Structure formats: structure tokens, C-alpha cells
Amino acid sequence: MPRTRSALPWRTAVLFGALFLVAWWIEDCVIYSVAWSELAIIRLARSLADTIGLTLFVSLIGQAIRFVGHLIAAVLGLIVAAIAEAFDALPATWR
């Protein structure tokens, strides 16, 4: 019976892996090495957002979302603490 070969030869798989790593490296270079705040379109967008008060509005919305998240985390923490306390109150034979 002839031996079955893999669908993708090792050399091709290694080349695909190397290509992936090079593409990943190039993407990281583009994301982290470009001074995005120095681009004219970004400066224009920032000045327009400051002019119409959008940055204040967005910061208020962000703080509201953060507050709701902390509130939910606090409530869940209290619920989990109550469940743990109730579980500890059970007799050892029931656990």
C-alpha cells in the first residue's frame, strides 16, 4: 500500500510560516513606528473635535461607561461574596 503524503509539504509550510512572521513584523512596524498624531488628517480631526466639543462629550460618555462597569463589578462582587458566605454556612456533610 502506498504511503499517503501530507497535503502540505514541509517546505511550503515553513515558507508560509516565514511569510506570516514577516507580515506580522511589518504590521507591527507600521502600527508602532508611525507618529499618527503628526499626520495632517489626524490633527485636523482633533482640532475639529475640539471645536465642536466632541472631545468633552466623548470623555463624559467614557466616564459614564466606566462608572457603570465599576458599579456592575461591585454588585457582582457582593453577590459572589454572599454566595460564598452561604456556601460556607452549609454543614460539611451537605457540601
Side-chain angles (χ1 to χ4, degrees):
M1 173 177 246
R3 218 172 121 193
T4 58
R5 299 188 72 191
S6 64
L8 199 58
W10 283 107
R11 244 184 284 167
T12 307
V14 168
L15 287 175
F16 275 122
L19 180 63
F20 172 75
L21 289 175
V22 168
W24 189 9
W25 176 72
I26 289 172
E27 179 212 5
D28 281 347
C29 288
V30 167
I31 289 174
Y32 296 117
S33 66
V34 173
W36 295 102
S37 61
E38 297 299 320
L39 293 175
I41 189 76
I42 301 296
R43 284 186 286 159
L44 176 66
R46 184 178 294 151
S47 65
L48 284 174
D50 285 339
T51 302
I52 63 174
L54 188 62
T55 53
L56 177 64
F57 177 70
V58 169
S59 69
L60 289 175
I61 296 296
Q63 290 175 4
I65 291 171
R66 186 179 305 129
F67 172 74
V68 170
H70 283 285
L71 189 65
I72 290 171
V75 169
L76 287 177
L78 291 173
I79 291 171
V80 168
I83 290 172
E85 187 176 326
F87 182 77
D88 289 341
L90 289 174
T93 57
W94 288 14
R95 291 187 208 168

